[in-house]
Amino acid sequence: MTDPAAIARQFAFPGEILSVDEYGNGNVNDTYLVRVAGDQGTQDFILQRLSPAVFPKPEQIMHNLRVLDNHVRPKLLADPNQRWELPRIIPSRSGADYCRDANGAVWRAQTFIADTETFDTIASVAQAEEAGRALGFFHALIHDLPTHLLHDTLPGFHVTPGYLAAYEALTASPPRPDQSEQALFCQQFIAERKETAEVLEAARLRGELHSCPIHGDPKLANILFSRNTGQAISLIDLDTVKPGLLHYDIGDCLRSCCNAAGEDVPLSEVSFNLAYCAAILRGYLPQIAPFFSVADYRYIYDAVRLIAFELGLRFFNDHLAGDVYFRIRRPGQNLHRATVQFALCQSIEAQETEIKNIVRDCQKP
Ligand code: GN1
Ligand code: MG
C-alpha cells in the first residue's frame, strides 16, 4: 500500500504539508485532502490515485484534463460575471501533470474549490434546478471542444449493450452461483429488459443522436454548490470527459438526483421524484437549447430509464465478477446497489407518461 503522504510530497504544493486525510466516498479512485500552510494561510488540495482496475491508461485522463483546461479556462476568464470553477492541475516537483507510485499507479493533485459543499441526496427543488443548470452550463462550455482532441479514457463506458454482453459472458461461463433472492430478482429484471439496451446506440447509428464531448459521471455528489449562495459552481470528477452522447449525462444526472433517498438505501425508500426531474430539466434545457434537436428531446425518457438500468447491470456484473470495479464497504454491497437501481428503473417505468409530459412541457416555447 503506497503512503499517500509520501506521494503528496512529490507535488509542488505552495507551502508546507500539514495533513493528508482520506476524503469523500467515491466508488472508484482513492481520494485524499491535503492541507497546506502557505504564504496566504491554510489551503486545501485534492490528491487522487486513479484506479488502475478501472482506467487502463490513466495518463490519457491527464492529457484530457489538460485539453479541457486549455479549452475552458479562456472562456471562464472572458466572462468573470459568471461564477464557475474548474479545478487546476498541481504539477509534480519535476513539472509533470502526475506522478507514479512504485506499483505504477498514477496520482494527481488538483486545487480544492473552497467554500463549496456536495450532497448525496437532493435537498430541495431549487437545488435540483441548480444541478440541471450546472450540467447544461458544462455541456455548453465543452460542446465546441473537438472530440478528436480527447482520448477515450474508458472504452465502452455507458454503451449499455456492452454491459449486457459482459453479463451474458459472466453467467454463461462456469458461473459464480448466486441463487440468493436478490440475485434471482436481478437476473429476472435483466432478462425482461435486455431488448431495451440498444435504444441509445441504435439512435446514434441511425444518425438521430450524435457523439460530442460529455462529462460521463454527473451524479449529484460530483456537483459543487456554493456554501454562500447555494449556486452550483463546478462539476468535478472529470476522468470520463470524453466523446459520448449528451443522453448518457442527462440520464445519469436524472437517475442520481431524482432518486431522493440515495444509492445504498432500503428498497422501500427508492422512488423517482418527478418534481426534481422537472426542476433539473428546467435548469438544464435552456443552457443547451441552441444545440438540442427534436430527436434529443425524444430520447430523454429513454435515457433516464436506460442509465438507471445500466448502472444496476454494472453493479450486478461487478458483484458476479467478485467486486473488482466498484469499491465495497461490506460484502454484498454491489448486489444491493444493483437492486436499488433496478427498483429506481421500475419507478421510472411506472411514471413514463408523467416524465414524457414534463419533457413535452419543457419543449414548449
Ligand atoms: C462511479 O467514482 P464515482 O463514485 O464518481 C462510476 C459512475 C457511477 C457511480 C455510481 C468511472 O462514480 O459511472 O455512476 O460510481 N464511475 C466510473 O455511484 O465508473
Ligand atoms: Mg467518478
Side-chain angles (χ1 to χ4, degrees), residues 150-178:
L150 295 170
H151 289 296
D152 187 350
T153 50
L154 196 50
F157 191 48
H158 290 313
V159 180
T160 314
Y163 298 111
L164 192 62
Y167 166 75
E168 273 154 8
L170 279 163
T171 43
S173 57
R176 285 169 183 265
D178 183 347

PDB file of all heavy atoms in Angstrom, residues 150-178:
ATOM      1  N   LEU A 150      -9.667  14.472 -27.691  1.00  0.00           N
ATOM      2  CA  LEU A 150      -9.854  13.733 -26.437  1.00  0.00           C
ATOM      3  C   LEU A 150      -9.621  12.238 -26.626  1.00  0.00           C
ATOM      4  O   LEU A 150     -10.151  11.638 -27.567  1.00  0.00           O
ATOM      5  CB  LEU A 150     -11.287  13.942 -25.918  1.00  0.00           C
ATOM      6  CG  LEU A 150     -11.665  15.362 -25.504  1.00  0.00           C
ATOM      7  CD1 LEU A 150     -13.171  15.448 -25.257  1.00  0.00           C
ATOM      8  CD2 LEU A 150     -10.899  15.782 -24.248  1.00  0.00           C
ATOM      9  N   HIS A 151      -8.878  11.641 -25.707  1.00  0.00           N
ATOM     10  CA  HIS A 151      -8.741  10.182 -25.706  1.00  0.00           C
ATOM     11  C   HIS A 151     -10.021   9.554 -25.181  1.00  0.00           C
ATOM     12  O   HIS A 151     -10.726  10.145 -24.364  1.00  0.00           O
ATOM     13  CB  HIS A 151      -7.610   9.746 -24.761  1.00  0.00           C
ATOM     14  CG  HIS A 151      -6.248  10.080 -25.254  1.00  0.00           C
ATOM     15  ND1 HIS A 151      -5.732   9.530 -26.398  1.00  0.00           N
ATOM     16  CD2 HIS A 151      -5.294  10.900 -24.738  1.00  0.00           C
ATOM     17  CE1 HIS A 151      -4.498   9.993 -26.573  1.00  0.00           C
ATOM     18  NE2 HIS A 151      -4.221  10.827 -25.588  1.00  0.00           N
ATOM     19  N   ASP A 152     -10.261   8.317 -25.589  1.00  0.00           N
ATOM     20  CA  ASP A 152     -11.344   7.549 -24.986  1.00  0.00           C
ATOM     21  C   ASP A 152     -10.766   6.863 -23.748  1.00  0.00           C
ATOM     22  O   ASP A 152     -10.173   5.793 -23.831  1.00  0.00           O
ATOM     23  CB  ASP A 152     -11.875   6.519 -25.992  1.00  0.00           C
ATOM     24  CG  ASP A 152     -13.111   5.821 -25.445  1.00  0.00           C
ATOM     25  OD1 ASP A 152     -13.410   6.000 -24.244  1.00  0.00           O
ATOM     26  OD2 ASP A 152     -13.776   5.109 -26.216  1.00  0.00           O
ATOM     27  N   THR A 153     -10.954   7.510 -22.599  1.00  0.00           N
ATOM     28  CA  THR A 153     -10.279   7.046 -21.376  1.00  0.00           C
ATOM     29  C   THR A 153     -10.884   5.768 -20.796  1.00  0.00           C
ATOM     30  O   THR A 153     -10.275   5.116 -19.960  1.00  0.00           O
ATOM     31  CB  THR A 153     -10.343   8.145 -20.295  1.00  0.00           C
ATOM     32  OG1 THR A 153     -11.706   8.578 -20.192  1.00  0.00           O
ATOM     33  CG2 THR A 153      -9.461   9.311 -20.648  1.00  0.00           C
ATOM     34  N   LEU A 154     -12.100   5.439 -21.223  1.00  0.00           N
ATOM     35  CA  LEU A 154     -12.764   4.245 -20.687  1.00  0.00           C
ATOM     36  C   LEU A 154     -13.633   3.648 -21.798  1.00  0.00           C
ATOM     37  O   LEU A 154     -14.840   3.877 -21.850  1.00  0.00           O
ATOM     38  CB  LEU A 154     -13.609   4.659 -19.468  1.00  0.00           C
ATOM     39  CG  LEU A 154     -14.099   3.582 -18.518  1.00  0.00           C
ATOM     40  CD1 LEU A 154     -12.983   2.664 -18.090  1.00  0.00           C
ATOM     41  CD2 LEU A 154     -14.736   4.223 -17.300  1.00  0.00           C
ATOM     42  N   PRO A 155     -12.993   2.885 -22.702  1.00  0.00           N
ATOM     43  CA  PRO A 155     -13.745   2.381 -23.862  1.00  0.00           C
ATOM     44  C   PRO A 155     -14.981   1.584 -23.417  1.00  0.00           C
ATOM     45  O   PRO A 155     -14.918   0.799 -22.474  1.00  0.00           O
ATOM     46  CB  PRO A 155     -12.728   1.476 -24.570  1.00  0.00           C
ATOM     47  CG  PRO A 155     -11.394   2.005 -24.138  1.00  0.00           C
ATOM     48  CD  PRO A 155     -11.580   2.499 -22.732  1.00  0.00           C
ATOM     49  N   GLY A 156     -16.097   1.848 -24.102  1.00  0.00           N
ATOM     50  CA  GLY A 156     -17.332   1.109 -23.795  1.00  0.00           C
ATOM     51  C   GLY A 156     -18.151   1.707 -22.663  1.00  0.00           C
ATOM     52  O   GLY A 156     -19.236   1.213 -22.360  1.00  0.00           O
ATOM     53  N   PHE A 157     -17.655   2.787 -22.044  1.00  0.00           N
ATOM     54  CA  PHE A 157     -18.371   3.392 -20.913  1.00  0.00           C
ATOM     55  C   PHE A 157     -19.744   3.896 -21.377  1.00  0.00           C
ATOM     56  O   PHE A 157     -19.833   4.642 -22.357  1.00  0.00           O
ATOM     57  CB  PHE A 157     -17.525   4.554 -20.387  1.00  0.00           C
ATOM     58  CG  PHE A 157     -17.975   5.125 -19.070  1.00  0.00           C
ATOM     59  CD1 PHE A 157     -18.262   4.320 -17.986  1.00  0.00           C
ATOM     60  CD2 PHE A 157     -18.080   6.497 -18.916  1.00  0.00           C
ATOM     61  CE1 PHE A 157     -18.646   4.863 -16.766  1.00  0.00           C
ATOM     62  CE2 PHE A 157     -18.461   7.054 -17.703  1.00  0.00           C
ATOM     63  CZ  PHE A 157     -18.747   6.230 -16.617  1.00  0.00           C
ATOM     64  N   HIS A 158     -20.781   3.477 -20.701  1.00  0.00           N
ATOM     65  CA  HIS A 158     -22.177   3.841 -20.995  1.00  0.00           C
ATOM     66  C   HIS A 158     -22.710   3.265 -22.309  1.00  0.00           C
ATOM     67  O   HIS A 158     -23.758   3.705 -22.780  1.00  0.00           O
ATOM     68  CB  HIS A 158     -22.401   5.356 -20.976  1.00  0.00           C
ATOM     69  CG  HIS A 158     -22.325   5.950 -19.604  1.00  0.00           C
ATOM     70  ND1 HIS A 158     -22.969   5.397 -18.525  1.00  0.00           N
ATOM     71  CD2 HIS A 158     -21.669   7.042 -19.134  1.00  0.00           C
ATOM     72  CE1 HIS A 158     -22.715   6.132 -17.445  1.00  0.00           C
ATOM     73  NE2 HIS A 158     -21.925   7.126 -17.783  1.00  0.00           N
ATOM     74  N   VAL A 159     -21.984   2.320 -22.887  1.00  0.00           N
ATOM     75  CA  VAL A 159     -22.537   1.632 -24.063  1.00  0.00           C
ATOM     76  C   VAL A 159     -23.243   0.385 -23.518  1.00  0.00           C
ATOM     77  O   VAL A 159     -22.628  -0.667 -23.304  1.00  0.00           O
ATOM     78  CB  VAL A 159     -21.425   1.288 -25.076  1.00  0.00           C
ATOM     79  CG1 VAL A 159     -22.005   0.568 -26.287  1.00  0.00           C
ATOM     80  CG2 VAL A 159     -20.710   2.571 -25.509  1.00  0.00           C
ATOM     81  N   THR A 160     -24.540   0.529 -23.254  1.00  0.00           N
ATOM     82  CA  THR A 160     -25.265  -0.499 -22.493  1.00  0.00           C
ATOM     83  C   THR A 160     -25.160  -1.900 -23.106  1.00  0.00           C
ATOM     84  O   THR A 160     -25.007  -2.874 -22.356  1.00  0.00           O
ATOM     85  CB  THR A 160     -26.737  -0.090 -22.312  1.00  0.00           C
ATOM     86  OG1 THR A 160     -26.779   1.273 -21.904  1.00  0.00           O
ATOM     87  CG2 THR A 160     -27.421  -0.938 -21.250  1.00  0.00           C
ATOM     88  N   PRO A 161     -25.243  -2.052 -24.442  1.00  0.00           N
ATOM     89  CA  PRO A 161     -25.154  -3.421 -24.977  1.00  0.00           C
ATOM     90  C   PRO A 161     -23.852  -4.120 -24.579  1.00  0.00           C
ATOM     91  O   PRO A 161     -23.827  -5.344 -24.437  1.00  0.00           O
ATOM     92  CB  PRO A 161     -25.233  -3.218 -26.500  1.00  0.00           C
ATOM     93  CG  PRO A 161     -25.941  -1.914 -26.667  1.00  0.00           C
ATOM     94  CD  PRO A 161     -25.521  -1.064 -25.507  1.00  0.00           C
ATOM     95  N   GLY A 162     -22.797  -3.366 -24.373  1.00  0.00           N
ATOM     96  CA  GLY A 162     -21.524  -3.953 -23.946  1.00  0.00           C
ATOM     97  C   GLY A 162     -21.626  -4.530 -22.539  1.00  0.00           C
ATOM     98  O   GLY A 162     -21.076  -5.601 -22.247  1.00  0.00           O
ATOM     99  N   TYR A 163     -22.333  -3.814 -21.636  1.00  0.00           N
ATOM    100  CA  TYR A 163     -22.508  -4.336 -20.268  1.00  0.00           C
ATOM    101  C   TYR A 163     -23.402  -5.577 -20.279  1.00  0.00           C
ATOM    102  O   TYR A 163     -23.228  -6.493 -19.471  1.00  0.00           O
ATOM    103  CB  TYR A 163     -23.101  -3.267 -19.348  1.00  0.00           C
ATOM    104  CG  TYR A 163     -22.217  -2.043 -19.196  1.00  0.00           C
ATOM    105  CD1 TYR A 163     -22.589  -0.812 -19.730  1.00  0.00           C
ATOM    106  CD2 TYR A 163     -20.996  -2.120 -18.525  1.00  0.00           C
ATOM    107  CE1 TYR A 163     -21.782   0.299 -19.605  1.00  0.00           C
ATOM    108  CE2 TYR A 163     -20.179  -1.014 -18.388  1.00  0.00           C
ATOM    109  CZ  TYR A 163     -20.582   0.204 -18.933  1.00  0.00           C
ATOM    110  OH  TYR A 163     -19.771   1.306 -18.808  1.00  0.00           O
ATOM    111  N   LEU A 164     -24.345  -5.597 -21.221  1.00  0.00           N
ATOM    112  CA  LEU A 164     -25.223  -6.770 -21.336  1.00  0.00           C
ATOM    113  C   LEU A 164     -24.411  -7.978 -21.825  1.00  0.00           C
ATOM    114  O   LEU A 164     -24.560  -9.094 -21.299  1.00  0.00           O
ATOM    115  CB  LEU A 164     -26.358  -6.447 -22.312  1.00  0.00           C
ATOM    116  CG  LEU A 164     -27.513  -7.424 -22.331  1.00  0.00           C
ATOM    117  CD1 LEU A 164     -28.210  -7.497 -20.977  1.00  0.00           C
ATOM    118  CD2 LEU A 164     -28.531  -6.991 -23.404  1.00  0.00           C
ATOM    119  N   ALA A 165     -23.536  -7.727 -22.810  1.00  0.00           N
ATOM    120  CA  ALA A 165     -22.683  -8.822 -23.311  1.00  0.00           C
ATOM    121  C   ALA A 165     -21.784  -9.331 -22.184  1.00  0.00           C
ATOM    122  O   ALA A 165     -21.587 -10.550 -22.032  1.00  0.00           O
ATOM    123  CB  ALA A 165     -21.848  -8.328 -24.491  1.00  0.00           C
ATOM    124  N   ALA A 166     -21.277  -8.405 -21.369  1.00  0.00           N
ATOM    125  CA  ALA A 166     -20.418  -8.817 -20.241  1.00  0.00           C
ATOM    126  C   ALA A 166     -21.227  -9.666 -19.258  1.00  0.00           C
ATOM    127  O   ALA A 166     -20.741 -10.678 -18.736  1.00  0.00           O
ATOM    128  CB  ALA A 166     -19.854  -7.588 -19.538  1.00  0.00           C
ATOM    129  N   TYR A 167     -22.476  -9.273 -19.039  1.00  0.00           N
ATOM    130  CA  TYR A 167     -23.349 -10.037 -18.129  1.00  0.00           C
ATOM    131  C   TYR A 167     -23.568 -11.449 -18.677  1.00  0.00           C
ATOM    132  O   TYR A 167     -23.478 -12.436 -17.936  1.00  0.00           O
ATOM    133  CB  TYR A 167     -24.683  -9.299 -17.983  1.00  0.00           C
ATOM    134  CG  TYR A 167     -25.773 -10.132 -17.366  1.00  0.00           C
ATOM    135  CD1 TYR A 167     -25.775 -10.396 -15.993  1.00  0.00           C
ATOM    136  CD2 TYR A 167     -26.807 -10.670 -18.142  1.00  0.00           C
ATOM    137  CE1 TYR A 167     -26.775 -11.174 -15.423  1.00  0.00           C
ATOM    138  CE2 TYR A 167     -27.798 -11.441 -17.586  1.00  0.00           C
ATOM    139  CZ  TYR A 167     -27.781 -11.697 -16.214  1.00  0.00           C
ATOM    140  OH  TYR A 167     -28.756 -12.463 -15.653  1.00  0.00           O
ATOM    141  N   GLU A 168     -23.810 -11.517 -19.989  1.00  0.00           N
ATOM    142  CA  GLU A 168     -24.058 -12.833 -20.578  1.00  0.00           C
ATOM    143  C   GLU A 168     -22.816 -13.714 -20.470  1.00  0.00           C
ATOM    144  O   GLU A 168     -22.914 -14.908 -20.176  1.00  0.00           O
ATOM    145  CB  GLU A 168     -24.582 -12.689 -22.017  1.00  0.00           C
ATOM    146  CG  GLU A 168     -26.090 -12.525 -21.975  1.00  0.00           C
ATOM    147  CD  GLU A 168     -26.727 -11.789 -23.146  1.00  0.00           C
ATOM    148  OE1 GLU A 168     -26.027 -11.498 -24.135  1.00  0.00           O
ATOM    149  OE2 GLU A 168     -27.942 -11.514 -23.047  1.00  0.00           O
ATOM    150  N   ALA A 169     -21.651 -13.100 -20.651  1.00  0.00           N
ATOM    151  CA  ALA A 169     -20.411 -13.877 -20.515  1.00  0.00           C
ATOM    152  C   ALA A 169     -20.223 -14.342 -19.069  1.00  0.00           C
ATOM    153  O   ALA A 169     -19.821 -15.481 -18.820  1.00  0.00           O
ATOM    154  CB  ALA A 169     -19.221 -13.031 -20.964  1.00  0.00           C
ATOM    155  N   LEU A 170     -20.541 -13.471 -18.121  1.00  0.00           N
ATOM    156  CA  LEU A 170     -20.348 -13.820 -16.707  1.00  0.00           C
ATOM    157  C   LEU A 170     -21.275 -14.945 -16.263  1.00  0.00           C
ATOM    158  O   LEU A 170     -20.945 -15.727 -15.377  1.00  0.00           O
ATOM    159  CB  LEU A 170     -20.624 -12.588 -15.821  1.00  0.00           C
ATOM    160  CG  LEU A 170     -19.492 -11.577 -15.692  1.00  0.00           C
ATOM    161  CD1 LEU A 170     -20.014 -10.253 -15.152  1.00  0.00           C
ATOM    162  CD2 LEU A 170     -18.410 -12.112 -14.764  1.00  0.00           C
ATOM    163  N   THR A 171     -22.457 -15.012 -16.882  1.00  0.00           N
ATOM    164  CA  THR A 171     -23.409 -16.036 -16.447  1.00  0.00           C
ATOM    165  C   THR A 171     -23.303 -17.296 -17.306  1.00  0.00           C
ATOM    166  O   THR A 171     -23.787 -18.339 -16.908  1.00  0.00           O
ATOM    167  CB  THR A 171     -24.854 -15.477 -16.459  1.00  0.00           C
ATOM    168  OG1 THR A 171     -25.048 -14.726 -17.646  1.00  0.00           O
ATOM    169  CG2 THR A 171     -25.146 -14.616 -15.266  1.00  0.00           C
ATOM    170  N   ALA A 172     -22.631 -17.193 -18.477  1.00  0.00           N
ATOM    171  CA  ALA A 172     -22.530 -18.369 -19.351  1.00  0.00           C
ATOM    172  C   ALA A 172     -21.353 -19.263 -18.971  1.00  0.00           C
ATOM    173  O   ALA A 172     -21.502 -20.464 -18.799  1.00  0.00           O
ATOM    174  CB  ALA A 172     -22.374 -17.932 -20.797  1.00  0.00           C
ATOM    175  N   SER A 173     -20.191 -18.639 -18.792  1.00  0.00           N
ATOM    176  CA  SER A 173     -19.008 -19.418 -18.446  1.00  0.00           C
ATOM    177  C   SER A 173     -19.224 -19.986 -17.045  1.00  0.00           C
ATOM    178  O   SER A 173     -20.116 -19.526 -16.353  1.00  0.00           O
ATOM    179  CB  SER A 173     -17.781 -18.518 -18.467  1.00  0.00           C
ATOM    180  OG  SER A 173     -17.991 -17.453 -17.584  1.00  0.00           O
ATOM    181  N   PRO A 174     -18.423 -20.936 -16.584  1.00  0.00           N
ATOM    182  CA  PRO A 174     -18.743 -21.526 -15.286  1.00  0.00           C
ATOM    183  C   PRO A 174     -19.161 -20.424 -14.321  1.00  0.00           C
ATOM    184  O   PRO A 174     -18.324 -19.626 -13.892  1.00  0.00           O
ATOM    185  CB  PRO A 174     -17.432 -22.186 -14.860  1.00  0.00           C
ATOM    186  CG  PRO A 174     -16.660 -22.358 -16.128  1.00  0.00           C
ATOM    187  CD  PRO A 174     -17.173 -21.361 -17.119  1.00  0.00           C
ATOM    188  N   PRO A 175     -20.423 -20.301 -14.040  1.00  0.00           N
ATOM    189  CA  PRO A 175     -20.892 -19.120 -13.307  1.00  0.00           C
ATOM    190  C   PRO A 175     -20.547 -19.192 -11.826  1.00  0.00           C
ATOM    191  O   PRO A 175     -20.391 -20.272 -11.283  1.00  0.00           O
ATOM    192  CB  PRO A 175     -22.409 -19.172 -13.501  1.00  0.00           C
ATOM    193  CG  PRO A 175     -22.715 -20.602 -13.746  1.00  0.00           C
ATOM    194  CD  PRO A 175     -21.484 -21.254 -14.310  1.00  0.00           C
ATOM    195  N   ARG A 176     -20.419 -18.015 -11.230  1.00  0.00           N
ATOM    196  CA  ARG A 176     -20.331 -17.964  -9.773  1.00  0.00           C
ATOM    197  C   ARG A 176     -21.756 -18.123  -9.291  1.00  0.00           C
ATOM    198  O   ARG A 176     -22.564 -17.235  -9.498  1.00  0.00           O
ATOM    199  CB  ARG A 176     -19.822 -16.591  -9.322  1.00  0.00           C
ATOM    200  CG  ARG A 176     -18.363 -16.419  -9.560  1.00  0.00           C
ATOM    201  CD  ARG A 176     -17.988 -14.949  -9.338  1.00  0.00           C
ATOM    202  NE  ARG A 176     -16.574 -14.802  -9.637  1.00  0.00           N
ATOM    203  CZ  ARG A 176     -15.625 -14.852  -8.707  1.00  0.00           C
ATOM    204  NH1 ARG A 176     -15.925 -15.002  -7.447  1.00  0.00           N
ATOM    205  NH2 ARG A 176     -14.380 -14.717  -9.048  1.00  0.00           N
ATOM    206  N   PRO A 177     -22.110 -19.233  -8.692  1.00  0.00           N
ATOM    207  CA  PRO A 177     -23.517 -19.437  -8.377  1.00  0.00           C
ATOM    208  C   PRO A 177     -23.968 -18.480  -7.272  1.00  0.00           C
ATOM    209  O   PRO A 177     -23.367 -18.451  -6.215  1.00  0.00           O
ATOM    210  CB  PRO A 177     -23.581 -20.892  -7.906  1.00  0.00           C
ATOM    211  CG  PRO A 177     -22.188 -21.238  -7.534  1.00  0.00           C
ATOM    212  CD  PRO A 177     -21.254 -20.289  -8.198  1.00  0.00           C
ATOM    213  N   ASP A 178     -24.913 -17.661  -7.577  1.00  0.00           N
ATOM    214  CA  ASP A 178     -25.561 -16.865  -6.541  1.00  0.00           C
ATOM    215  C   ASP A 178     -27.045 -17.040  -6.766  1.00  0.00           C
ATOM    216  O   ASP A 178     -27.608 -16.492  -7.710  1.00  0.00           O
ATOM    217  CB  ASP A 178     -25.138 -15.389  -6.649  1.00  0.00           C
ATOM    218  CG  ASP A 178     -25.764 -14.558  -5.523  1.00  0.00           C
ATOM    219  OD1 ASP A 178     -26.681 -15.074  -4.852  1.00  0.00           O
ATOM    220  OD2 ASP A 178     -25.344 -13.406  -5.316  1.00  0.00           O
TER     221      ASP A 178
END
